[in-house]
Amino acid sequence: MTGGAFLALDWGTTNLRAWVVGKSGEVLRRRDFALGVGGLAPGEAQRRFHADVRPAMAAETLPAMLCGMIGSNLGWRAIPYLDCPAAFDQLHEALVRVDAAGPPVWIVPGLRAERPDGGPDVMRGEETHLFGWAVEDPVRARGEHLICHPGTHAKWARMVDGRIDTFVTSMTGELFALLRKHSNLRVAEAEEDDAAFALGLEAAGDGRALASRLFTARSRVVGGDMAPRSVESYLSGVLIGAEAASTPSLLGIGVGARVSIIGDLALSARYRSALEACGFQTDVFDGEHAVLKGLAALFERAVATC
Amino acid sequence: MTGGAFLALDWGTTNLRAWVVGKSGEVLRRRDFALGVGGLAPGEAQRRFHADVRPAMAAETLPAMLCGMIGSNLGWRAIPYLDCPAAFDQLHEALVRVDAAGPPVWIVPGLRAERPDGGPDVMRGEETHLFGWAVEDPVRARGEHLICHPGTHAKWARMVDGRIDTFVTSMTGELFALLRKHSNLRVAEAEEDDAAFALGLEAAGDGRALASRLFTARSRVVGGDMAPRSVESYLSGVLIGAEAASTPSLLGIGVGARVSIIGDLALSARYRSALEACGFQTDVFDGEHAVLKGLAALFERAVATC
């Protein structure tokens, strides 16, 4: 059963990715827009959705399902978080319809969790990727799973029987961008260097003393061991290596466990290397496929009950 | 025995601090110059020294002893590093006289060490603080000491009988500046908040998963637990707390040890809180006093042997 064609949007801080999904779940059109909510004025999201996104996607009359930071106070409207542990059914029940007139437009709420190490944590958008992964194959999702969703703000979640139990955010991608652009470690020209990435993974050690491990990028250059153009790959290795070595334990998950990485495939490959170097087993799943499965499943439910 | 009056300079990346030291070691004049080598053109350091610093200090005819990044390729001239383990006598022997004519001008070499966790590490300037602390009271310096020199790039050194055995750098201060100025965690207005600093120390845990602990600054604000103006104090607590919890172990030094903190007194007080929360004992020493002792001791030796 499907709810017909719809417009699916993963609308984040820096980017908006849109798909028109056909009756049988096939992708008819796909496009990225430089309309991340981080760059929008108050009220602009709704206007751009109608004036730019709908026409560009030839989707003026389609219902739409939106996830991501579009549901924050930076976006269309602040949608309350759903508290963890959270199941897919609860996410569906917490959908918010934002346009009173015209074809329905729903926004998926984000999630809030109590971190195992204390204090709250939040996500907006990744919940749809994670539930998409779970609802696509409920048998696969049975039992306890550690999910890693890499990105600017990577999310590490413990899922049990398809429910998101708790999660923590790791701002590894943002730290990498800060170091690359603004720090004393920045370099004029960089190139991908797999050996430097591997050396960075090794230098990350057990994930402690990160501020000190990072500095070795500079001392290796000053000491003549490393070419400046390799610094970025090395830093990426130190940061992802430290994250892989220490974040699962925050969720009470020990070395040797299986980690499901859901995300951009190039970045996921780096996380796979880092996690396997720490003794974890990994499976990699395409994040775009997962978020589409999640948006489609939510859309089907919404249409069936609206 | 003293070598007479001299001009003492701690010339770093962002600042130059100058003192005229009298015959008996008393400070006659003291001034900061916005002439950090990070902002100087090639060749400018030597010119500014003669044209600006000497006249402003009324020190045209005095010999001078300089330490810090002035001895790097950004400064007056690149002075080779002295390898660790390094003793004060070796530092004195490795002084480099840079002005052929006129009153002598010496530059103190920096140190290079092999880090216990692999790879090189370097310092320029802090060696003079550390040796100043050691030569001021050789009895106090006997045995093994863990020294912490906080700053943009904090240095943690293991000294044995007044010799610098090895050290690691922690770029905690720089990470703080990057987060405060350029990250998604930055806030428009900040105020000192001791309770938020203490909460940050606690959130740092055992110093692992730093990229995740830092994000709690944002999730606490989003979750309504913390006022945006307290974010900077909280981040300072997470960063210094993680550093205190995990850096001594890089040098093979366990909890319960005594740490001598040599540095700016306000920043040292934060390190003291962090280290004591982790179970270390601490003594705080004024960094300005220490570097003056180091420069004076080097000057005396240089005069006696030149």
Side-chain angles (χ1 to χ4, degrees), chain A residues 150-168:
Chain A
T152 302
H153 290 171
K155 306 292 177 182
W156 293 76
R158 193 174 62 219
M159 289 189 89
V160 180
D161 295 331
R163 189 181 68 236
I164 299 177
D165 230 35
T166 186
F167 63 87
V168 297

Side-chain angles (χ1 to χ4, degrees), chain B residues 143-167:
Chain B
E144 184 180 82
H145 295 265
L146 174 58
I147 316 280
C148 168
H149 186 288
T152 304
H153 291 170
K155 306 293 176 180
W156 294 76
R158 193 173 64 218
M159 288 189 89
V160 180
D161 295 330
R163 189 181 68 235
I164 299 178
D165 230 33
T166 187
F167 62 89

Side-chain angles (χ1 to χ4, degrees), chain A residues 103-116:
Chain A
V105 176
W106 289 280
I107 296 182
V108 183
L111 299 187
R112 178 170 46 204
E114 202 54 35
R115 290 169 60 107

